[in-house]
Coordinates of all heavy atoms in Angstrom, one line a residue:
M1 N 92.0 101.1 92.2 CA 92.0 102.6 92.4 C 93.4 103.1 92.6 O 94.2 102.5 93.2 CB 91.1 102.9 93.6 CG 90.5 104.3 93.6 SD 89.4 104.5 95.0 CE 90.5 105.5 96.0
S2 N 93.7 104.3 92.1 CA 95.0 104.8 92.4 C 94.9 106.1 93.1 O 93.8 106.6 93.5 CB 95.7 105.1 91.0 OG 95.0 106.0 90.3
S3 N 96.0 106.7 93.5 CA 96.0 108.0 94.2 C 97.0 108.9 93.6 O 97.6 108.5 92.6 CB 96.4 107.7 95.7 OG 97.7 107.3 95.7
E4 N 97.1 110.1 94.1 CA 98.1 111.0 93.6 C 99.5 110.9 94.2 O 100.4 111.6 93.9 CB 97.6 112.5 93.8 CG 96.2 112.7 93.3 CD 96.2 113.3 91.9 OE1 96.8 114.3 91.7 OE2 95.5 112.7 91.0
I5 N 99.5 110.0 95.2 CA 100.7 109.8 96.0 C 101.8 109.0 95.2 O 101.4 107.9 94.8 CB 100.4 109.3 97.4 CG1 99.6 110.3 98.2 CG2 101.7 108.9 98.1 CD1 99.2 109.8 99.6
K6 N 103.0 109.5 95.2 CA 104.1 108.8 94.5 C 105.0 108.2 95.5 O 105.4 108.8 96.4 CB 104.9 109.7 93.6 CG 104.0 110.4 92.5 CD 104.2 109.7 91.2 CE 103.6 110.4 90.0 NZ 102.2 110.7 90.2
I7 N 105.4 106.9 95.3 CA 106.3 106.2 96.1 C 107.6 106.0 95.3 O 107.5 105.3 94.3 CB 105.8 104.9 96.6 CG1 104.4 105.0 97.2 CG2 106.8 104.3 97.7 CD1 104.3 105.8 98.4
T8 N 108.7 106.5 95.8 CA 110.0 106.3 95.1 C 110.8 105.4 95.9 O 111.0 105.6 97.1 CB 110.7 107.7 94.9 OG1 109.9 108.5 94.1 CG2 112.0 107.5 94.2
F9 N 111.3 104.4 95.2 CA 112.3 103.4 95.8 C 113.7 103.8 95.3 O 114.0 103.5 94.1 CB 111.9 102.0 95.5 CG 110.5 101.6 96.0 CD1 109.4 101.7 95.2 CD2 110.4 101.2 97.3 CE1 108.2 101.4 95.7 CE2 109.1 100.9 97.8 CZ 108.0 100.9 97.0
A10 N 114.4 104.5 96.1 CA 115.6 105.2 95.7 C 116.7 104.2 95.1 O 117.2 104.5 94.0 CB 116.2 106.1 96.8
K11 N 116.9 103.1 95.8 CA 118.0 102.2 95.4 C 117.6 101.5 94.1 O 118.4 101.2 93.2 CB 118.2 101.1 96.5 CG 119.2 101.6 97.5 CD 119.7 100.3 98.2 CE 119.9 100.6 99.7 NZ 119.9 99.4 100.5
S12 N 116.3 101.2 94.0 CA 115.8 100.5 92.8 C 115.6 101.5 91.6 O 115.3 101.0 90.5 CB 114.5 99.8 93.1 OG 114.5 99.1 94.3
G13 N 115.6 102.8 91.9 CA 115.3 103.7 90.9 C 113.9 103.6 90.3 O 113.7 103.8 89.1
T14 N 113.0 103.3 91.2 CA 111.6 103.1 90.7 C 110.7 104.1 91.4 O 110.7 104.2 92.6 CB 111.2 101.7 91.1 OG1 112.1 100.7 90.5 CG2 109.8 101.3 90.5
T15 N 109.8 104.7 90.6 CA 108.7 105.5 91.2 C 107.4 105.0 90.8 O 107.2 104.7 89.6 CB 108.9 107.0 90.8 OG1 110.1 107.5 91.3 CG2 107.8 107.8 91.4
L16 N 106.5 104.7 91.7 CA 105.2 104.2 91.4 C 104.1 105.0 92.1 O 104.4 105.6 93.1 CB 105.1 102.7 92.0 CG 106.1 101.8 91.4 CD1 106.2 100.5 92.3 CD2 105.7 101.4 90.0
E17 N 102.9 104.9 91.5 CA 101.8 105.6 92.2 C 101.2 104.7 93.3 O 101.0 103.5 93.0 CB 100.7 105.9 91.1 CG 99.8 107.0 91.5 CD 99.0 107.5 90.3 OE1 99.7 108.1 89.4 OE2 97.8 107.2 90.2
W18 N 101.1 105.2 94.5 CA 100.5 104.5 95.6 C 99.1 104.0 95.3 O 98.3 104.8 94.8 CB 100.5 105.3 96.9 CG 99.7 104.8 98.0 CD1 98.6 105.2 98.5 CD2 100.1 103.6 98.8 NE1 98.2 104.5 99.5 CE2 99.0 103.5 99.7 CE3 101.1 102.7 98.8 CZ2 99.0 102.4 100.7 CZ3 101.1 101.7 99.7 CH2 100.1 101.5 100.6
D19 N 98.9 102.7 95.6 CA 97.6 102.2 95.4 C 97.0 101.9 96.7 O 97.4 101.0 97.4 CB 97.7 100.9 94.5 CG 96.3 100.3 94.2 OD1 95.4 100.6 94.9 OD2 96.3 99.6 93.2
P20 N 95.9 102.6 97.1 CA 95.4 102.4 98.5 C 94.8 101.1 98.8 O 94.4 100.8 99.9 CB 94.3 103.5 98.6 CG 94.4 104.3 97.3 CD 95.2 103.6 96.3
K21 N 94.7 100.2 97.8 CA 94.2 98.9 98.1 C 95.2 98.1 98.8 O 94.8 97.1 99.5 CB 93.7 98.2 96.8 CG 94.8 97.5 96.0 CD 94.2 96.5 95.0 CE 95.3 95.7 94.3 NZ 95.6 96.0 93.0
F22 N 96.4 98.5 98.8 CA 97.5 97.8 99.6 C 97.4 98.2 101.1 O 97.2 99.4 101.3 CB 98.9 98.0 99.0 CG 99.0 97.3 97.7 CD1 98.9 98.0 96.5 CD2 99.3 96.0 97.7 CE1 99.1 97.4 95.3 CE2 99.4 95.3 96.4 CZ 99.3 96.0 95.3
E23 N 97.6 97.3 101.9 CA 97.5 97.6 103.4 C 98.7 98.3 103.9 O 98.6 99.1 104.8 CB 97.3 96.3 104.2 CG 95.9 95.8 104.0 CD 95.6 94.5 104.7 OE1 96.3 94.2 105.7 OE2 94.6 93.9 104.4
T24 N 99.9 98.1 103.4 CA 101.1 98.7 103.9 C 102.1 99.0 102.8 O 102.0 98.4 101.7 CB 101.8 97.7 104.9 OG1 102.2 96.6 104.2 CG2 100.9 97.3 106.0
L25 N 103.1 99.8 103.1 CA 104.1 100.1 102.1 C 104.9 98.8 101.8 O 105.3 98.6 100.6 CB 105.1 101.1 102.7 CG 104.6 102.6 102.5 CD1 105.4 103.5 103.4 CD2 104.7 103.0 101.1
L26 N 105.0 97.9 102.8 CA 105.8 96.6 102.5 C 105.0 95.8 101.5 O 105.6 95.3 100.5 CB 105.9 95.9 103.8 CG 106.6 94.5 103.7 CD1 108.0 94.6 103.1 CD2 106.7 93.8 105.1
D27 N 103.7 95.7 101.7 CA 102.9 94.9 100.7 C 103.0 95.5 99.3 O 103.1 94.8 98.3 CB 101.4 94.9 101.1 CG 101.1 94.0 102.3 OD1 101.9 93.2 102.6 OD2 100.0 94.2 102.9
F28 N 102.8 96.8 99.3 CA 102.9 97.5 98.0 C 104.2 97.3 97.3 O 104.2 97.0 96.1 CB 102.7 99.0 98.3 CG 102.8 99.9 97.1 CD1 101.8 99.9 96.1 CD2 103.9 100.7 96.9 CE1 101.9 100.7 95.0 CE2 104.0 101.5 95.8 CZ 103.0 101.5 94.8
A29 N 105.3 97.4 98.0 CA 106.6 97.2 97.4 C 106.8 95.7 96.9 O 107.2 95.5 95.8 CB 107.7 97.4 98.5
E30 N 106.4 94.8 97.7 CA 106.5 93.4 97.3 C 105.7 93.1 96.1 O 106.2 92.4 95.2 CB 106.0 92.5 98.5 CG 107.0 92.4 99.6 CD 106.4 91.6 100.8 OE1 105.2 91.5 100.9 OE2 107.3 91.1 101.6
K31 N 104.5 93.6 96.0 CA 103.6 93.3 94.8 C 104.2 94.0 93.6 O 103.9 93.6 92.5 CB 102.2 93.8 95.1 CG 101.5 93.0 96.2 CD 101.3 91.6 95.8 CE 100.8 90.7 96.9 NZ 100.7 91.1 98.3
N32 N 105.1 94.9 93.8 CA 105.7 95.6 92.6 C 107.1 95.2 92.4 O 107.9 95.8 91.7 CB 105.6 97.1 92.8 CG 104.2 97.6 92.6 OD1 103.7 97.7 91.5 ND2 103.5 98.0 93.7
G33 N 107.5 94.1 93.0 CA 108.8 93.5 92.7 C 110.0 94.1 93.4 O 111.1 93.9 93.0
I34 N 109.7 95.0 94.4 CA 110.8 95.6 95.2 C 111.1 94.6 96.3 O 110.3 94.3 97.1 CB 110.4 97.0 95.7 CG1 109.8 97.8 94.6 CG2 111.6 97.6 96.4 CD1 110.7 98.4 93.6
V35 N 112.4 94.2 96.4 CA 112.8 93.3 97.5 C 113.1 94.1 98.8 O 113.9 95.0 98.7 CB 114.0 92.5 97.1 CG1 114.4 91.5 98.2 CG2 113.7 91.7 95.8
M36 N 112.4 93.8 99.8 CA 112.6 94.5 101.1 C 112.7 93.4 102.2 O 112.1 92.4 102.1 CB 111.5 95.4 101.4 CG 111.1 96.3 100.2 SD 110.8 98.0 100.7 CE 109.3 98.0 101.5
D37 N 113.5 93.8 103.2 CA 113.6 92.9 104.4 C 112.3 93.0 105.2 O 111.7 94.0 105.3 CB 114.8 93.3 105.3 CG 116.1 92.9 104.6 OD1 116.1 92.1 103.7 OD2 117.1 93.6 105.0
F38 N 112.0 91.9 105.9 CA 110.9 91.9 106.8 C 111.0 90.7 107.7 O 111.7 89.8 107.4 CB 109.5 91.9 106.1 CG 109.2 90.7 105.4 CD1 108.6 89.6 106.0 CD2 109.6 90.5 104.1 CE1 108.3 88.4 105.3 CE2 109.4 89.3 103.4 CZ 108.7 88.3 104.0
G39 N 110.3 90.8 108.8 CA 110.3 89.7 109.8 C 108.8 89.4 110.2 O 108.1 88.8 109.5
C40 N 108.5 90.1 111.3 CA 107.2 89.8 111.9 C 106.0 90.4 111.2 O 104.9 89.9 111.3 CB 107.2 90.4 113.3 SG 107.2 92.2 113.3
R41 N 106.2 91.4 110.4 CA 105.1 92.1 109.7 C 104.0 92.7 110.6 O 102.9 92.9 110.3 CB 104.4 91.2 108.7 CG 105.3 90.6 107.7 CD 104.6 89.8 106.6 NE 104.1 90.7 105.6 CZ 104.7 90.8 104.4 NH1 105.8 90.2 104.1 NH2 104.1 91.7 103.5
S42 N 104.4 92.9 111.9 CA 103.5 93.5 112.8 C 104.0 94.5 113.7 O 103.4 94.9 114.7 CB 102.8 92.3 113.6 OG 103.8 91.6 114.3
G43 N 105.2 95.1 113.4 CA 105.7 96.2 114.2 C 106.5 95.8 115.4 O 106.7 96.6 116.3
N44 N 107.0 94.5 115.4 CA 107.6 94.0 116.6 C 109.1 93.8 116.5 O 109.8 93.7 117.5 CB 107.0 92.7 117.1 CG 105.6 92.8 117.5 OD1 105.3 93.8 118.2 ND2 104.8 91.9 117.1
C45 N 109.6 93.7 115.3 CA 111.0 93.2 115.1 C 112.0 94.3 114.5 O 113.2 94.2 114.7 CB 111.1 92.0 114.3 SG 110.8 92.3 112.5
S46 N 111.4 95.2 113.8 CA 112.2 96.3 113.1 C 113.0 95.8 111.9 O 113.8 96.6 111.4 CB 113.0 97.2 114.0 OG 114.2 96.5 114.4
D47 N 112.8 94.6 111.5 CA 113.5 94.1 110.3 C 113.2 94.9 109.0 O 113.9 94.9 108.1 CB 113.3 92.6 110.0 CG 114.0 91.7 111.0 OD1 114.7 92.2 111.9 OD2 113.8 90.5 110.9
C48 N 112.0 95.4 109.0 CA 111.5 96.1 107.8 C 111.8 97.6 107.8 O 111.4 98.3 106.9 CB 110.0 95.9 107.7 SG 109.1 96.8 109.0
V49 N 112.7 98.0 108.8 CA 112.9 99.5 108.9 C 113.7 100.0 107.7 O 114.6 99.3 107.2 CB 113.7 99.8 110.2 CG1 115.1 99.4 110.2 CG2 113.5 101.2 110.6
L50 N 113.4 101.1 107.2 CA 114.1 101.7 106.1 C 114.2 103.2 106.3 O 113.4 103.8 107.0 CB 113.2 101.6 104.8 CG 113.3 100.3 104.0 CD1 112.4 100.4 102.8 CD2 114.7 99.9 103.6
D51 N 115.3 103.8 105.7 CA 115.4 105.3 105.7 C 114.2 105.9 105.0 O 113.9 105.5 103.9 CB 116.7 105.7 105.0 CG 117.9 105.4 105.7 OD1 117.9 105.3 107.0 OD2 118.9 105.2 105.1
L52 N 113.6 106.8 105.7 CA 112.5 107.6 105.0 C 113.2 108.8 104.5 O 113.5 109.8 105.2 CB 111.4 107.9 106.0 CG 110.3 108.7 105.5 CD1 109.5 108.0 104.5 CD2 109.3 109.0 106.7
V53 N 113.7 108.8 103.2 CA 114.5 109.8 102.6 C 113.7 111.1 102.6 O 114.2 112.2 102.9 CB 115.0 109.4 101.2 CG1 115.8 110.5 100.6 CG2 115.8 108.1 101.3
S54 N 112.4 111.0 102.2 CA 111.6 112.2 102.2 C 110.1 111.8 102.3 O 109.8 110.6 102.0 CB 111.8 113.0 100.9 OG 111.3 112.3 99.8
G55 N 109.3 112.7 102.7 CA 107.9 112.4 102.8 C 107.4 112.0 104.2 O 108.2 111.9 105.2
E56 N 106.1 111.7 104.4 CA 105.6 111.4 105.7 C 104.8 110.1 105.5 O 104.1 109.9 104.5 CB 104.6 112.5 106.2 CG 105.3 113.7 106.7 CD 104.3 114.7 107.1 OE1 103.4 114.4 107.9 OE2 104.4 115.9 106.6
V57 N 104.8 109.3 106.6 CA 104.0 108.1 106.6 C 103.1 108.1 107.8 O 103.3 108.9 108.8 CB 104.9 106.8 106.7 CG1 105.7 106.7 105.4 CG2 105.8 106.8 107.9
E58 N 102.1 107.3 107.8 CA 101.2 107.2 108.9 C 101.2 105.8 109.4 O 101.2 104.8 108.6 CB 99.8 107.5 108.4 CG 98.7 107.4 109.4 CD 97.3 107.7 108.8 OE1 97.2 108.2 107.7 OE2 96.3 107.4 109.6
Y59 N 101.3 105.6 110.7 CA 101.3 104.3 111.3 C 99.9 103.8 111.5 O 99.0 104.5 112.0 CB 102.1 104.3 112.7 CG 103.6 104.2 112.4 CD1 104.3 105.4 112.2 CD2 104.2 103.0 112.4 CE1 105.6 105.3 111.9 CE2 105.6 102.9 112.1 CZ 106.3 104.1 111.9 OH 107.6 104.0 111.6
L60 N 99.7 102.6 111.1 CA 98.3 102.0 111.1 C 98.0 101.5 112.6 O 96.9 101.4 112.9 CB 98.2 100.8 110.2 CG 98.5 101.1 108.7 CD1 98.7 99.9 107.9 CD2 97.3 102.0 108.2
W61 N 99.0 101.3 113.3 CA 98.9 101.0 114.7 C 100.2 101.3 115.4 O 101.2 101.5 114.7 CB 98.5 99.5 115.0 CG 99.5 98.5 114.6 CD1 100.6 98.0 115.3 CD2 99.6 97.9 113.3 NE1 101.3 97.1 114.6 CE2 100.7 97.0 113.3 CE3 98.8 97.9 112.1 CZ2 101.1 96.2 112.2 CZ3 99.2 97.1 111.0 CH2 100.3 96.3 111.1
E62 N 100.2 101.4 116.7 CA 101.4 101.7 117.5 C 102.4 100.6 117.4 O 102.1 99.5 118.0 CB 101.0 102.0 118.9 CG 102.0 102.7 119.8 CD 102.1 104.2 119.5 OE1 101.1 104.8 119.1 OE2 103.2 104.7 119.7
P63 N 103.6 100.7 116.8 CA 104.5 99.5 116.7 C 105.2 99.3 118.1 O 105.3 100.2 118.9 CB 105.5 100.0 115.7 CG 105.5 101.4 115.6 CD 104.1 101.9 116.1
E64 N 105.6 98.1 118.3 CA 106.3 97.7 119.5 C 107.7 98.4 119.6 O 108.1 98.9 120.6 CB 106.6 96.2 119.5 CG 105.9 95.2 120.4 CD 105.2 95.8 121.6 OE1 105.9 95.9 122.6 OE2 104.0 95.9 121.6
V65 N 108.3 98.4 118.4 CA 109.6 99.1 118.3 C 109.4 100.4 117.6 O 108.8 100.5 116.5 CB 110.7 98.3 117.5 CG1 111.5 97.4 118.4 CG2 110.0 97.5 116.4
V66 N 109.9 101.5 118.2 CA 109.7 102.8 117.6 C 111.0 103.1 116.8 O 112.1 103.2 117.4 CB 109.4 103.9 118.7 CG1 109.3 105.3 118.0 CG2 108.2 103.5 119.4
P67 N 110.9 103.3 115.5 CA 112.1 103.6 114.7 C 112.7 105.0 115.0 O 111.9 105.9 115.5 CB 111.6 103.5 113.3 CG 110.2 103.8 113.3 CD 109.7 103.4 114.7
D68 N 114.0 105.1 114.8 CA 114.6 106.4 114.9 C 114.0 107.5 114.0 O 113.4 107.1 113.0 CB 116.1 106.3 114.6 CG 116.8 105.5 115.7 OD1 116.3 105.4 116.8 OD2 117.9 105.1 115.4
E69 N 114.2 108.7 114.3 CA 113.8 109.8 113.4 C 114.3 109.6 112.0 O 115.5 109.2 111.8 CB 114.4 111.1 114.0 CG 113.9 112.4 113.4 CD 112.4 112.7 113.8 OE1 112.0 112.2 114.8 OE2 111.8 113.4 112.9
G70 N 113.5 109.8 111.0 CA 114.0 109.6 109.6 C 113.9 108.2 109.1 O 114.4 107.9 108.0
M71 N 113.4 107.3 110.0 CA 113.3 105.9 109.5 C 111.8 105.5 109.6 O 111.0 106.2 110.3 CB 114.0 104.9 110.5 CG 115.4 105.4 110.9 SD 116.6 105.0 109.6 CE 116.9 103.3 109.8
C72 N 111.4 104.5 108.9 CA 110.0 104.0 109.1 C 109.9 102.5 109.0 O 110.8 101.9 108.3 CB 109.1 104.7 108.1 SG 109.0 104.0 106.5
L73 N 109.0 101.9 109.6 CA 108.7 100.5 109.6 C 107.7 100.3 108.4 O 106.5 100.8 108.5 CB 108.1 100.0 110.9 CG 108.9 100.2 112.2 CD1 108.1 99.7 113.4 CD2 110.2 99.4 112.0
T74 N 108.1 99.7 107.4 CA 107.3 99.6 106.2 C 106.1 98.6 106.4 O 105.2 98.6 105.6 CB 108.1 99.2 105.0 OG1 108.7 97.9 105.2 CG2 109.1 100.2 104.6
C75 N 106.2 97.7 107.4 CA 105.1 96.7 107.6 C 103.9 97.3 108.2 O 102.9 96.6 108.2 CB 105.6 95.5 108.4 SG 105.8 95.9 110.1
C76 N 104.0 98.4 108.8 CA 102.8 99.0 109.4 C 102.5 100.5 109.1 O 102.0 101.2 109.9 CB 102.8 98.7 110.9 SG 104.4 99.1 111.7
T77 N 103.0 100.9 107.9 CA 102.8 102.3 107.5 C 102.2 102.4 106.1 O 102.3 101.5 105.3 CB 104.1 103.1 107.5 OG1 105.1 102.3 106.8 CG2 104.6 103.4 108.9
V78 N 101.5 103.5 105.9 CA 101.0 103.9 104.6 C 101.5 105.3 104.4 O 101.7 106.0 105.4 CB 99.4 103.8 104.5 CG1 99.0 102.4 104.6 CG2 98.8 104.6 105.6
P79 N 101.6 105.7 103.2 CA 102.1 107.1 102.9 C 101.0 108.2 103.2 O 99.9 107.9 102.9 CB 102.5 107.1 101.4 CG 101.6 106.0 100.8 CD 101.4 105.0 101.9
K80 N 101.5 109.3 103.7 CA 100.6 110.5 103.9 C 100.8 111.4 102.8 O 100.0 112.3 102.4 CB 100.9 111.2 105.2 CG 100.1 110.6 106.4 CD 100.7 111.0 107.7 CE 100.2 112.4 108.1 NZ 100.6 112.7 109.5
T81 N 102.1 111.4 102.3 CA 102.5 112.4 101.2 C 103.3 111.5 100.2 O 103.5 110.3 100.4 CB 103.4 113.4 101.8 OG1 104.6 112.8 102.3 CG2 102.8 114.2 102.9
D82 N 103.9 112.2 99.2 CA 104.9 111.5 98.4 C 106.0 111.0 99.3 O 106.4 111.8 100.2 CB 105.4 112.4 97.3 CG 104.5 112.7 96.2 OD1 103.3 112.2 96.2 OD2 104.8 113.5 95.3
V83 N 106.5 109.8 99.0 CA 107.5 109.3 100.0 C 108.6 108.7 99.1 O 108.4 108.1 98.1 CB 106.8 108.1 100.8 CG1 107.8 107.2 101.4 CG2 105.9 108.7 101.9
T84 N 109.8 108.9 99.6 CA 111.0 108.3 99.1 C 111.6 107.4 100.1 O 111.9 107.8 101.2 CB 112.1 109.3 98.6 OG1 111.5 110.1 97.6 CG2 113.3 108.6 98.0
L85 N 111.8 106.1 99.8 CA 112.3 105.1 100.7 C 113.7 104.7 100.1 O 113.8 104.6 98.9 CB 111.4 103.9 100.8 CG 110.1 104.1 101.5 CD1 109.2 102.9 101.3 CD2 110.3 104.4 103.0
N86 N 114.6 104.3 101.0 CA 115.9 103.8 100.6 C 115.8 102.3 100.3 O 116.4 101.5 101.0 CB 116.9 104.2 101.6 CG 118.3 104.1 101.1 OD1 118.5 104.2 99.9 ND2 119.3 104.0 102.0
A87 N 115.1 102.0 99.3 CA 115.0 100.5 98.9 C 115.1 100.4 97.4 O 114.9 101.3 96.7 CB 113.6 100.0 99.4
Ligands
FES1 S1 108.6 93.3 109.8 FE1 108.9 93.3 112.0 S2 108.6 95.4 112.5 FE2 108.1 95.3 110.4

């Protein structure tokens, strides 16, 4: 199933349609060949943090580390709107 939400990976120059079958933005990126840093995959380490260039994300649970304004933890978020990430 697809959605109308577009995810743009700015550094990679790739825009893809978000597929809600993926649990997180990190999973979605990896399955589409976008290389992203990660560690715990559970909101505890912030290794997966990226600039959220535009758009809004939703946290699936309250992460241990709260990212600064304009950043997002890709291991525990899904997009709410079209999103551009600096990846
Ligand atoms: S991978 Fe550790 S917070 Fe996302």
Side-chain angles (χ1 to χ4, degrees):
M1 203 176 108
S2 64
S3 67
E4 308 263 305
I5 293 180
K6 300 259 189 307
I7 311 296
T8 299
F9 299 96
K11 274 198 215 160
S12 315
T14 305
T15 298
L16 300 164
E17 200 165 294
W18 167 249
D19 184 337
K21 83 166 188 252
F22 290 101
E23 286 179 17
T24 65
L25 279 165
L26 178 59
D27 285 347
F28 176 74
E30 288 175 333
K31 296 293 169 357
N32 285 290
I34 310 289
V35 178
M36 310 224 288
D37 288 338
F38 66 91
C40 67
R41 304 184 82 100
S42 57
N44 295 319
C45 72
S46 81
D47 286 359
C48 67
V49 77
L50 280 180
D51 289 332
L52 181 60
V53 180
S54 66
E56 284 180 54
V57 296
E58 178 179 350
Y59 279 83
L60 300 168
W61 63 88
E62 193 78 29
E64 255 336 281
V65 269
V66 178
D68 291 341
E69 189 70 26
M71 315 281 282
C72 84
L73 299 177
T74 58
C75 74
C76 47
T77 47
V78 292
K80 275 165 80 171
T81 63
D82 288 357
V83 159
T84 300
L85 293 168
N86 197 21

